[in-house]
Amino acid sequence: MIQIISFGLIVGLLLGFVLQRGRFCVVGAYRDLLLARDGHMFLATMIVIAIQAVGVYALAASGVITIQADAFPWLGTIVGGFIFGIGMVLAGGCATGTWYRAGEGLIGSWIALFMYALSAAITKFGILSTFGNDVLSYRTSETYIHETFGLSPWVLVTAFGLLILTLVIRSLRKPKLPTFSMKPKKTGLAHILFEKRWHPFVTALLVGLIAILAWPLSEATGRMAGLGITTPTAQLLTFFVNGDTSLLNWGVFLVLGIGIGSYIAARGSGEFKWRLPDKKTLGFNTSGGLLMGFGASLAGGCTIGNGLVNTALFTWQGWVAVIFFLLGTWTATYFTIIRKQKRQSASSGATSAA
C-alpha cells in the first residue's frame, strides 16, 4: 500500500505542478484552433504524444513494461467523445485542467470536478452502469492502427515523431511578437519554477516525460497502464461514499497528487486565490462536469487516457476519440462563444447604422 501511495503521489505531484505552471489544458488547445486559429497548444499536445510513444514502446521493447489495450469500443468512443468535448468547454477545463484549477482555488472548478466524479461514478459503478456497459460492448476486433495495416509500431512512432519535430522546428523559426514581462522578484531556480513564463513546448516535453514515468511506476503496483483520470476520479468519490479501501489504487493517488501539486505551484507563484464565479458560470461548471464524467465513461477515457495515452499507443480508440473531442469542443465553442460574438457584432452594426 505504501508503494501504491508513494508512486501514485510522486507522478501526480509532478504532473499537477507542471500543468499549473505551464497552463497546460487540452480544452484550450482544441478551442484555440477554432477561435484564434492558433495551433501552438494543440501542437504541444502532439509533442506529448510523440515523446510518450517513443518512451513507452522503448520500455515495452526492453521488457520493462507490458502494453495492454482493449478492443476498440467504437460506439462509446464516438458518442462519449463528442459529449465530453461539449462538457469540457462548459466546465472551463478538461479532466486534468479541472483538477489543477481546483488546486488554484477556483470554486467553479471544484464544482465541475465533483460533478465530473459523480457522473463518472454513476456511469461506471451506479445506476447507469448497465447502459454504459451496453454502449461499450459495441467493439471491433481491431485495437492498434499499426496491426490493422500489418506494420511495426515503430513505423508509426518514427513517422509521427518526425512530423511533429518538423512542425516544432517550423514553429520555433517563426518571428516572435514582443511580450511584456514584469521585473522578476525571484532569482535562480525559484524564478524558473514559480515566476518565469513556461513555453508550451517545454511544458509538453515535461508532461511527456512524466507520462512515460507513469508506466513503470504504475505497473510496479500491478496496474498495467499509464496516466488515467476518469476512473480514479470516480473511484475516489465512491470510496468517500462507501469506504471501500480496495478502491484506493495507484490512479486515485495520482489524481490527488495532481491537485496537491497544482496547489503547491499556485501558492509558490502567488496564483492561488479562492474565486467564486457568477451564477451563469456556475451553471456551466455544473452541467459541463456532468457531461464530462458521462462522456469520458462512455468513451473509455478522457483527453488524458484517450487523448494522450491511447494515442501514443496508436490505438484506434485514442485517435478516433481525439476527432470527436475536437468536434464536441468546436460545437460547444460555436454556441457559447462564436454565435454570441456574431449576435453582438450584428447588434452593434445595426445600432451604428441607425
Side-chain angles (χ1 to χ4, degrees):
M1 188 63 171
I2 294 176
Q3 191 179 53
I4 291 174
I5 295 172
S6 59
F7 284 1
L9 278 177
I10 287 170
V11 176
L13 286 167
L14 291 172
L15 185 59
F17 189 95
V18 170
L19 291 173
Q20 197 284 329
R21 290 296 298 122
R23 315 305 303 169
F24 190 92
C25 183
V26 179
V27 66
Y30 290 2
R31 192 172 50 201
D32 286 351
L33 281 174
L34 182 64
L35 279 180
R37 301 293 191 269
D38 184 351
H40 278 83
M41 283 303 300
F42 184 76
L43 180 55
T45 66
M46 297 296 108
I47 293 172
V48 176
I49 295 170
I51 291 171
Q52 187 181 185
V54 173
V56 169
Y57 275 107
L59 289 174
S62 62
V64 175
I65 65 171
T66 301
I67 295 176
Q68 295 180 348
D70 296 328
F72 174 33
W74 61 271
L75 180 60
T77 302
I78 291 171
V79 175
F82 185 77
I83 292 172
F84 183 88
I86 294 173
M88 65 180 180
V89 172
L90 297 178
C94 59
T96 48
T98 303
W99 266 104
Y100 91 68
R101 287 191 173 98
E104 294 176 343
L106 273 68
I107 303 298
S109 292
W110 278 97
I111 292 174
L113 183 59
F114 175 77
M115 293 302 174
Y116 166 58
L118 178 64
S119 62
I122 290 173
T123 309
K124 284 181 171 291
F125 312 123
I127 58 175
L128 293 179
S129 60
T130 301
F131 172 76
N133 291 332
D134 286 344
V135 173
L136 288 171
S137 69
Y138 290 88
R139 297 173 180 264
T140 70
S141 59
E142 304 293 337
T143 300
Y144 300 98
I145 297 172
H146 47 274
E147 287 185 350
T148 300
F149 295 101
L151 301 171
S152 163
W154 285 104
V155 173
L156 296 184
V157 171
T158 303
F160 185 74
L162 290 174
L163 171 63
I164 299 306
L165 179 60
T166 301
L167 294 175
V168 167
I169 292 172
R170 287 181 57 185
S171 176
L172 293 176
R173 285 179 175 175
K174 291 180 180 179
K176 302 296 187 295
L177 295 174
T179 57
F180 172 77
S181 59
M182 298 180 65
K183 184 178 179 180
K185 296 180 180 179
K186 297 179 173 65
T187 59
L189 185 60
H191 170 67
I192 295 172
L193 290 178
F194 296 108
E195 193 173 39
K196 183 179 175 63
R197 183 178 180 182
W198 291 16
H199 192 286
F201 296 170
V202 174
T203 304
L205 170 64
L206 295 174
V207 172
L209 293 175
I210 294 168
I212 295 171
L213 177 66
W215 281 87
L217 290 186
S218 173
E219 292 201 8
T221 67
R223 178 181 176 273
M224 313 298 281
L227 296 175
I229 306 298
T230 301
T231 298
T233 302
Q235 289 171 328
L236 179 61
L237 180 62
T238 305
F239 163 74
F240 282 124
V241 172
N242 62 22
D244 183 0
T245 56
S246 66
L247 295 170
L248 298 179
N249 55 29
W250 186 93
V252 169
F253 290 101
L254 166 74
V255 295
L256 286 173
I258 292 173
I260 298 170
S262 171
Y263 172 76
I264 293 171
R267 292 290 294 187
S269 61
E271 294 175 351
F272 179 86
K273 183 180 179 181
W274 292 110
R275 283 158 284 182
L276 180 65
D278 57 51
K279 291 182 179 179
K280 182 178 180 180
T281 302
L282 285 174
F284 281 154
N285 294 147
T286 301
S287 59
L290 289 170
L291 289 174
M292 279 205 304
F294 179 66
S297 298
L298 293 185
C302 63
T303 43
I304 297 296
N306 270 333
L308 295 183
V309 176
N310 277 329
T311 47
L313 301 180
F314 293 100
T315 66
W316 286 107
Q317 178 178 340
W319 286 101
V320 171
V322 167
I323 292 171
F324 284 91
F325 288 155
L326 282 166
L327 292 175
T329 299
W330 292 346
T331 298
T333 299
Y334 175 80
F335 284 103
T336 60
I337 300 176
I338 296 177
R339 190 172 69 166
K340 182 179 178 181
Q341 290 176 342
K342 287 182 176 180
R343 286 178 174 176
Q344 290 175 342
S345 178
S347 176
S348 177
T351 301
S352 299

